[in-house]
Amino acid sequence: MTTLFDPLRIGEIDLATRIVMAPLTRNRASPGQVPNALMAEYYAQRADPATGAGLIVTEATQICPEGQGYLDTPGLHNAEQVAGWRRITDAVHARGGRIVVQLWHVGRISHVSLLPGGQAPVSSTARAAKSKTYIAGGFDDVSAPRALRTDEIPGVVAAYRRAAERALEAGFDGVEIHAANGYLIEQFLRDSINDRSDGYGGPIENRTRFLREVMQAVTRAIGGGRTGLRLSPVTPANDAGPDSHAQALYEQALAELAPLDLAFVHVVEGATGGARDFAPFDYAALRRRFKGAWMVNNGYSRQMALDAVAGGAADLVAFGKPFIANPDLGRRLREDAALNALDPATLYGGGAKGYTDYPALATAAA
Ligand code: 8OZ
């Protein structure tokens, strides 16, 4: 029987366990959206598969300056950011870990104060989200977006490809394309948001076109075996209204991507960070559209994770909040040890407090 603690090869990446550290926005990058030494310490603490994660998915990371939506989130679009990430991937690999970077464009979930020249955010639509973001000085409403012109879309696709190339330069084992949680790709996928009349709007095969072009460009550059995809078929996060035919939409999206041989698909089940039964969706049917490794996420307890892998419902389980508060979550799951409590006040922004100071279990006395 397969367990959560068994190794798995996903695409071209060898993992020591099925325990994944989920992508977690922590807003601690240095000026210029540059990853720093504190971030390297945080990831390194969670990197040893004997005590931490079999795979780390980094916090969401901007592919280009226009893709930023929150204060102090890291980027991967210039040499300084590549060098910052290189220190992190080196630290993770030195502990035997594996790490992929989550590549992110927020689309309309942004604010003019965060964007080059104070420009408007871009999206599939010119309609604003009823959502907030975190900027200098605190939370504020997101800014009204402008709809991308059709002739601008290849440039955004190219930014994903360049970021994937920079990911390998920075020493990552691969990338996860963030197509979840109400950000740019989901803004194209869902008919509750996408109101376009060009080839990127309307029927399902048009709304999946942007995702398809991004995944084709990225896999052509770095290979499907180093590429994963995150989806959240029913999440309401960031004012993402439900698609009128979510099951058909997401099943078709994955069917269209089959020729790319992606390493993994990572699915947020239910409302991100909330109710797992937020809306009905047949995740098993979605999985039948995909041949690679199936990663599940959202509120998994130890027992749920053990059952999901043992029963074959999932190949990998991603843990978010438990990994924030427990650098040695892998060991604690193995030993069925108690977990540290999470301090919600230190989730976003700040320094070491609530970031690198959560204690590991004491090592066994000599
Ligand atoms: C929490 C705060 C800011 C961003 C996501 C990248 O939901 C995020 C995010 C989460 O995917």
Side-chain angles (χ1 to χ4, degrees):
M1 190 181 75
T2 305
T3 82
L4 186 61
F5 310 106
D6 287 335
L8 180 68
R9 184 173 175 89
I10 60 168
E12 295 178 40
I13 313 170
D14 276 308
L15 307 182
T17 76
R18 315 321 188 70
I19 300 167
V20 178
M21 179 177 169
L24 295 157
T25 290
R26 305 302 307 275
N27 309 76
R28 281 164 168 89
S30 291
Q33 297 79 53
V34 179
N36 54 42
L38 183 66
M39 290 167 62
E41 184 186 348
Y42 162 77
Y43 284 112
Q45 286 175 343
R46 289 153 180 79
D48 179 350
T51 55
L55 176 68
I56 293 171
V57 183
T58 71
E59 64 207 276
T61 297
Q62 287 93 240
I63 59 163
C64 57
E66 297 77 14
Q68 184 175 358
Y70 303 81
L71 191 69
D72 296 337
T73 50
L76 186 50
H77 48 79
N78 64 40
E80 203 186 347
Q81 293 162 353
V82 169
W85 280 119
R86 170 56 85 167
R87 285 193 291 272
I88 293 173
T89 63
D90 283 348
V92 167
H93 290 146
R95 285 160 183 77
R98 297 287 181 271
I99 182 166
V100 299
V101 60
Q102 193 192 49
L103 297 182
W104 192 32
H105 190 309
V106 296
R108 67 178 184 163
I109 308 301
S110 187
H111 189 275
V112 292
S113 70
L114 297 166
L115 297 173
Q119 65 182 263
V122 295
S123 181
S124 62
T125 176
R127 290 178 301 161
K130 291 178 201 67
S131 186
K132 299 222 182 267
T133 181
Y134 193 78
I135 62 172
F139 284 95
D140 201 352
D141 291 337
V142 297
S143 304
R146 71 175 181 85
L148 283 162
R149 295 189 314 271
T150 309
D151 67 4
E152 291 178 296
I153 292 178
V156 183
V157 172
Y160 278 95
R161 173 183 53 75
R162 280 198 303 274
E165 290 165 351
R166 287 189 168 101
L168 294 197
E169 250 181 80
F172 284 106
D173 297 292
V175 306
E176 173 180 282
I177 301 300
H178 193 347
N181 296 346
Y183 298 113
L184 183 61
I185 295 176
E186 206 172 74
Q187 291 160 30
F188 275 86
L189 287 174
R190 294 203 191 180
D191 61 7
S192 53
I193 304 173
N194 183 335
D195 56 0
R196 304 180 71 86
S197 52
D198 65 2
Y200 293 87
I204 287 178
E205 63 268 26
N206 281 4
R207 283 181 279 118
T208 56
R209 189 182 309 278
F210 179 61
L211 169 67
R212 205 156 59 239
E213 290 180 353
V214 167
M215 300 311 288
Q216 283 166 348
V218 166
T219 56
R220 237 177 254 139
I222 68 166
R226 297 199 178 278
T227 305
L229 172 65
R230 196 178 208 213
L231 300 173
S232 54
V234 301
T235 197
N238 290 306
D239 196 29
D243 188 83
S244 63
H245 297 83
Q247 192 75 41
L249 168 64
Y250 284 90
E251 285 192 30
Q252 186 165 328
L254 282 193
E256 290 167 352
L257 299 177
L260 304 182
D261 284 325
L262 301 179
F264 67 92
V265 167
H266 180 183
V267 178
V268 181
E269 298 165 332
T272 312
R276 292 180 45 77
D277 60 356
F278 175 77
F281 192 85
D282 186 347
Y283 295 99
L286 181 63
R287 188 187 183 182
R288 287 195 286 275
R289 302 297 186 149
F290 184 64
K291 290 204 161 44
W294 196 251
M295 186 189 299
V296 295
N297 172 244
N298 206 25
Y300 273 77
S301 65
R302 177 177 186 274
Q303 194 58 52
M304 287 163 66
L306 291 171
D307 292 346
V309 173
D315 299 306
L316 300 152
V317 181
F319 298 89
K321 285 174 180 163
F323 250 121
I324 291 178
N326 299 276
D328 56 347
L329 182 67
R331 177 180 171 197
R332 291 177 195 240
L333 292 172
R334 217 183 278 268
E335 298 179 6
D336 200 9
L339 302 185
N340 297 324
L342 178 84
D343 170 18
T346 50
L347 281 178
Y348 307 118
K353 187 172 174 332
Y355 192 52
T356 51
D357 64 353
Y358 283 105
L361 292 172
T363 46

